[in-house]
Amino acid sequence: HRRFDYRPKTDPYCQARYTFCPTGSAIPLMKEEDVIEVYRLQAPVWEFKYGDLLGHLKIMHDAVGFKSSLTGKNYTMEWYELFQLGNCTFPHLRPGMDAPFWCNQGAACFYEGIDDAHWKANGTLVLVTTISGTMFNEMAQWVKYDNETGIYYETWTVQASPDKKSTVWFDSYECSKFILRTYQKLADLGAVFKKIQTNYTSIILFSGEPIYLGNETSIFGPQGNKTLAAAIRDFYNPFKPHQSVREFFVDLFKIIDHVILNHQFYLFYNLEYWFLPMKSPYLKIIYEEIPLPVGSKASFGV
């Protein structure tokens, strides 16, 4: 996933139904000698059944919690879409504009408190490691960098086949990837993680080798490819960047239908368009184990 030099200003056209990070605050500076507990937080985004097509989906949202021993204060940190999931996955087709218009950014949100009931009742709230105040402060610096340079949300993972060793053409960039990067950073700073099972959700598309099509200017600009531009617009036409999670999944099934019938998918990734020659099983939502990381530094004794 490409890093960018800065985060672009958001276009006023992009409106979120729910305010992004409404109670967010700056990450506090911890005292070096503080001992901070780190918690893995996970809960379902939305659970539902859809016939026998995909069965019961485990679509989870991930976050990380911190508790300071010196102050007793709790904090939650997560990463999610600025304009909700639909906007990150599907563009708007605006009148008078040739190119699809994307309202797509993701960012970290940090706030005081952990909503114990939310995470415990439906999911997971478990201690994974303990760190020093120094490590927490170093992590905070890294979060700032990560947030300023990794700006676009990417819903899809694209790989060649369901095989474990299969080629990954494109990696997703969403809430769980931020949590995995955070854990890795803490491990590199010396955190020692407990041996517990940790699973994450991925939405995977299966495709032959992707074909690079160009960027917005080369496809939709004055010298662009009119036929290709029309094909991309047609592909996105049924999928409105709806607000509700429920409508998002209705669109997801429209996509599956389209992809299976026509064996094609147009992917917008790092500001570039790609054609995916889709192949069976086309799309899978998996909930698989990704172990907690092992650090590269000498361990920090707690």
Side-chain angles (χ1 to χ4, degrees), residues 82-150:
L82 265 61
F83 312 108
Q84 279 79 64
L85 187 58
N87 275 312
C88 294
T89 312
F90 312 117
H92 294 258
L93 299 180
R94 293 174 67 179
M97 285 178 77
D98 267 354
F101 184 82
W102 293 85
C103 290
N104 176 9
Q105 282 192 39
C109 173
F110 187 94
Y111 52 95
E112 193 171 329
I114 295 176
D115 181 354
D116 285 39
H118 171 70
W119 303 105
K120 273 184 188 157
N122 303 308
T124 306
L125 194 163
V126 61
L127 179 70
V128 288
T129 188
T130 311
I131 60 173
S132 68
T134 307
M135 287 155 77
F136 179 92
N137 295 335
E138 287 181 11
M139 177 208 73
Q141 287 301 313
W142 168 83
V143 169
K144 187 172 183 293
Y145 155 79
D146 186 78
N147 213 30
E148 284 168 0
T149 60

Side-chain angles (χ1 to χ4, degrees), residues 188-216:
D188 292 344
L189 290 170
V192 179
F193 284 87
K194 293 177 180 298
K195 301 271 188 289
I196 54 169
Q197 185 167 339
T198 51
N199 289 52
Y200 300 89
T201 303
S202 290
I203 304 182
I204 304 177
L205 300 174
F206 299 101
S207 153
E209 185 161 352
I211 299 155
Y212 176 69
L213 300 174
N215 61 22
E216 187 175 295

Side-chain angles (χ1 to χ4, degrees), residues 65 158 183 207 225 295:
V158 184
Y183 289 160
S207 153
N225 179 333

